[in-house]
Amino acid sequence: MISQLPQPQFLPTTRKEMETLGWDELDILLIQGDAYIDHPAQGPALLGRWLTAHGFRTGLVSQPGWKDYGDLTVMGRPRLFAAVSAGSMDSMLAHYTAFRKKRSDDALTPGGRAGARPNRASLVYTGLARAAFPGLPVAIGGIEASLRRLSHYDFWQDKLRRSALLESKADILVYGPGERPLLELARRLSRADGFSRDAISGIDGTATPLNPGDNIDGQWLELSGHEAIEQEPRLLVETTLALERLIHQGGRTAFQRSGGRGIVMRPPAEALSTEEMDFLYGLPFTRKAHPSYKEAVPALQVLGLSITTHRGCGGGCSFCSLAAHQGRRVVSRSKESIVAEAAKLSARKPAALSDVGGATANMWNAACLTKGECGRVSCLWPSPCVHLSASQADWLDLLKSIAELPDIKQVRVASGVRCDLAMNDEKALREFLQNFVGGQLKVAPEHLSESVLRLMRKPGQELFEKFLSAFERFRPDGQFLVPYLISAFPGCADNHMRRMAEWFRQRGWKPRQIQAFIPTPGTVAAAMFYAQTDWDGRPIFVAKTDRARLGQHSLLTEGLTDSRPGPKAARNNSRFRRSGR
Ligand code: SF4
């Protein structure tokens, strides 16, 4: 693949930067709620370079003021469309803690200050774009819009909200990875003589408003309507499961009625091929914050010299927003492309790679070996699927090839690893622990109660204990295991938390990474939290009030002695973990 436009050092953010590139207008304006870091882990930076590579002049406005639309107009009206994203995470998740308290910092803003983007930023930015450029098509995307594409439970308001497409009044909503849908939209609008409904309809990976003339009695799948879910909350669980199937199996258009209107959701866009992934991640990212910033953007430290090896996760955990966004199918970059990126980074001093991974690091190159229909909700739960290929030896070989590069000083895997896959190959596990993990290995048993683990779609306690014993045998001196745990999950009662606390107490082990469950929109777990039923419609206990949730949380965080040497209390960086917990 060859870039059709020269890649700029940064996407233009001002008129002057456009003129430097010789651009008299933009084709596409991207608007986002995070600071601009030109890093492949940041969606708008990635999409901007992708669209530019395909010949569309793309500019970026980051964290615009929202009292008026002035910041959106600095580069003029774009020729084709504006595309809005709240940022790398749902803006409500970025702004509020698990107990709905306002956060005082924001790692995705220069100086780490809170308050640089509005709540529900994608809705607010869409309104600004509409006002700034009347008649211009506006697309809404990113993880916030993607996971709120249909009726969803909003934890922060404790209510069911309508599709972000209808709430924002955008023309089109892009869900999942945006490369293909946005490129198709750009091509169609470029060909069309002005904006038309036809030009934006029928693009895979998008949702559009239901029109009166739409033929809905054909092959389309009707999902429960918004009002029906309000009447009968268990329908949200059913709808979310249907959505999971649609994402995984593709093939069908679905629609949902909502307040006299409706949403048409096309099948997911075809995943990028390995060749396309190599091209995309091989674009010349500077990995720096935009030079106009006077203060550092803290997230850059976390992103560091990290390399993304793949997208998607076959785990199917019921609470994971990232898998709900990227899907279960793993799409990997080639070994050559990853090693070539590492070689470029080896010029940095010190050339210490902070993370080589993805949603789940040891799923690089994981593949489904059957072409048949898949009716499972997870490739690993309740037990690993016989059709799943995920060679741990190949993964180790990739890491070793990077470590052998002449100027690379260190290679670390900070992304989570799946214990069940790691246990398949003890030799690879030993080498991994000895060479690619620092002082701490993060694993995510998430809980130790079988009934709660079932609702999470996570393997049982027995597997975690087996992994612990393997870890003890293979770990180098000074290395510790950091278990990530979740309190107040749907189906989790105080006695489950007490039993988990007791398990740790008996081992003199004080767990430090405990996240009170946050029902992130669009996940099966959030639907269960709202409906207070499991996926079979059976009632489950849910600690719903903040008081009840805090009570569960405290059962694990307080009153435990710490006789086992462990890491100093690390700041909970779960907001930046690649796994969407
Ligand atoms: S058949 Fe097995 S490996 Fe393939 S997608 Fe389904 S669960 Fe995953």
Side-chain angles (χ1 to χ4, degrees):
M1 278 185 191
I2 296 167
S3 188
Q4 292 177 20
L5 271 179
Q7 287 284 322
Q9 202 190 6
F10 282 87
L11 298 171
T13 62
T14 63
R15 191 92 211 162
K16 195 162 165 224
E17 289 167 7
M18 280 170 63
E19 282 160 9
T20 309
L21 296 167
W23 299 358
D24 56 354
E25 69 173 350
L26 295 177
D27 295 314
I28 300 160
L29 175 66
L30 302 179
I31 301 159
Q32 67 151 341
D34 295 337
Y36 179 15
I37 304 173
D38 184 39
H39 192 288
Q42 203 191 36
L46 197 74
L47 291 167
R49 287 199 177 277
W50 168 259
L51 292 165
T52 304
H54 287 82
F56 293 99
R57 298 163 297 177
T58 307
L60 177 60
V61 169
S62 298
Q63 300 190 317
W66 59 95
K67 287 210 172 86
D68 60 51
Y69 56 72
D71 288 350
L72 266 55
T73 58
V74 292
M75 289 181 278
R77 181 184 174 101
R79 186 172 68 91
L80 299 176
F81 66 92
V84 161
S85 154
S88 308
M89 67 176 99
D90 191 287
S91 55
M92 299 305 287
L93 195 60
H95 295 171
Y96 295 93
T97 68
F99 298 104
R100 293 180 254 234
K101 299 269 183 295
K102 205 146 179 63
R103 294 188 197 274
S104 56
D105 61 342
D106 186 334
L108 287 154
T109 297
R113 270 184 303 280
R117 78 176 86 64
N119 285 348
R120 299 188 177 80
S122 39
L123 308 189
V124 177
Y125 294 158
T126 304
L128 289 175
R130 281 257 176 266
F133 310 116
L136 183 78
V138 179
I140 182 174
I143 200 154
E144 178 171 287
S146 180
L147 293 180
R148 293 173 183 258
R149 59 189 174 274
L150 296 176
S151 296
H152 56 276
Y153 173 65
D154 185 291
F155 167 67
W156 298 273
Q157 280 187 311
D158 191 23
K159 68 175 249 196
L160 190 76
R161 287 187 69 123
R162 296 184 194 280
S163 161
L165 177 69
L166 300 180
E167 289 197 327
S168 69
K169 301 192 175 58
D171 295 293
I172 185 166
L173 183 150
V174 173
Y175 71 87
E179 289 85 9
R180 273 198 213 290
L182 282 181
L183 185 56
E184 179 64 11
L185 181 65
R187 285 176 172 155
R188 287 187 181 202
L189 289 173
S190 199
R191 282 195 302 264
D193 188 15
F195 171 70
S196 71
R197 291 256 155 247
D198 279 354
I200 64 164
S201 299
I203 301 176
D204 286 351
T206 70
T208 47
L210 184 65
N211 290 317
D214 284 332
N215 176 21
I216 56 175
D217 56 0
Q219 297 299 308
W220 294 1
L221 173 71
E222 178 161 9
L223 301 168
S224 295
H226 183 87
E227 283 69 26
I229 297 172
E230 275 181 332
Q231 291 291 317
E232 188 52 81
R234 72 173 173 77
L235 293 177
L236 186 64
V237 183
E238 203 178 286
T239 303
T240 311
L241 291 170
L243 206 57
E244 272 193 337
R245 282 193 296 276
L246 287 166
I247 299 167
H248 186 55
Q249 295 166 356
R252 279 192 88 178
T253 296
F255 72 99
Q256 181 184 52
R257 297 179 198 273
S258 183
R261 297 175 292 165
I263 310 105
V264 179
M265 196 182 83
R266 291 281 305 167
E270 186 191 338
L272 295 185
S273 64
T274 292
E275 190 195 21
E276 288 169 318
M277 289 276 284
D278 289 354
F279 172 76
L280 178 62
Y281 286 90
L283 291 169
F285 295 93
T286 59
R287 294 173 171 264
K288 292 179 181 163
H290 192 269
S292 63
Y293 297 139
K294 306 268 182 294
E295 296 168 288
V297 183
L300 198 50
Q301 274 185 329
V302 179
L303 293 173
L305 294 187
S306 63
I307 296 181
T308 300
T309 54
H310 60 283
R311 286 180 176 176
C313 175
C317 301
S318 66
F319 50 83
C320 181
S321 55
L322 204 137
H325 179 62
Q326 293 187 347
R328 247 172 65 209
R329 187 179 155 202
V330 174
V331 189
S332 302
R333 295 169 62 191
S334 69
K335 178 181 168 187
E336 294 71 29
S337 161
I338 297 166
V339 173
E341 184 177 349
K344 272 194 219 152
L345 295 180
S346 68
R348 307 273 179 123
K349 299 288 179 256
L353 302 187
S354 55
D355 188 20
V356 177
T360 300
N362 54 343
M363 268 198 199
W364 176 70
N365 247 357
C368 172
L369 298 179
T370 178
K371 299 277 177 264
E373 289 242 323
C374 170
R376 292 178 53 136
V377 294
S378 162
C379 303
L380 290 168
W381 179 88
S383 58
C385 176
V386 290
H387 300 300
L388 180 69
S389 151
S391 165
Q392 301 299 287
D394 288 355
W395 174 55
L396 246 287
D397 179 56
L398 169 75
L399 296 177
K400 284 196 280 190
S401 299
I402 296 172
E404 280 162 10
L405 288 168
D407 292 320
I408 290 285
K409 296 284 171 279
Q410 190 180 68
V411 180
R412 290 284 177 254
V413 174
S415 301
V417 293
R418 283 288 302 212
C419 301
D420 35 14
L421 290 179
M423 292 290 292
N424 285 343
D425 186 335
E426 291 201 343
K427 180 171 175 285
L429 175 60
R430 184 198 303 260
E431 284 191 59
F432 169 63
L433 293 176
Q434 290 179 349
N435 299 307
F436 301 106
V437 180
Q440 306 173 10
L441 174 70
K442 296 176 214 160
V443 294
E446 310 291 14
H447 212 288
L448 296 178
S449 155
E450 295 303 319
S451 63
V452 180
L453 288 167
R454 174 183 161 270
L455 292 170
M456 292 176 165
R457 298 184 186 147
K458 293 290 284 188
Q461 176 180 342
E462 195 187 336
L463 183 110
F464 178 57
E465 289 181 349
K466 270 191 193 154
F467 184 80
L468 260 182
S469 111
F471 177 78
E472 284 303 329
R473 276 183 284 134
F474 302 148
R475 74 180 172 112
D477 282 349
Q479 190 176 81
F480 300 97
L481 191 127
V482 181
Y484 278 66
L485 305 166
I486 298 181
S487 62
F489 195 80
C492 177
D494 287 5
N495 62 330
H496 296 122
M497 294 304 294
R498 277 198 201 94
R499 277 208 293 275
M500 182 151 67
E502 180 60 19
W503 188 93
F504 280 101
R505 196 184 60 72
Q506 281 175 0
R507 286 155 182 81
W509 191 358
K510 183 172 185 175
R512 298 172 189 280
Q513 294 288 353
I514 307 154
Q515 170 74 58
F517 172 64
I518 303 177
T520 43
T523 57
V524 173
M528 292 194 295
F529 183 90
Y530 170 67
Q532 302 187 54
T533 67
D534 68 8
W535 44 70
D536 295 319
R538 286 185 296 243
I540 52 172
F541 172 80
V542 175
K544 271 216 124 165
T545 63
D546 285 351
R547 191 189 158 111
R549 298 169 68 249
L550 190 56
Q552 278 206 8
H553 197 65
S554 307
L555 287 170
L556 204 53
T557 52
E558 288 169 8
L560 293 169
T561 53
D562 186 9
S563 59
R564 180 182 176 126
K568 291 261 182 279
R571 188 165 178 274
N572 187 344
N573 271 330
S574 59
R575 277 184 288 159
F576 305 109
R577 292 171 69 206
R578 291 187 210 245
S579 63
R581 190 174 106 177

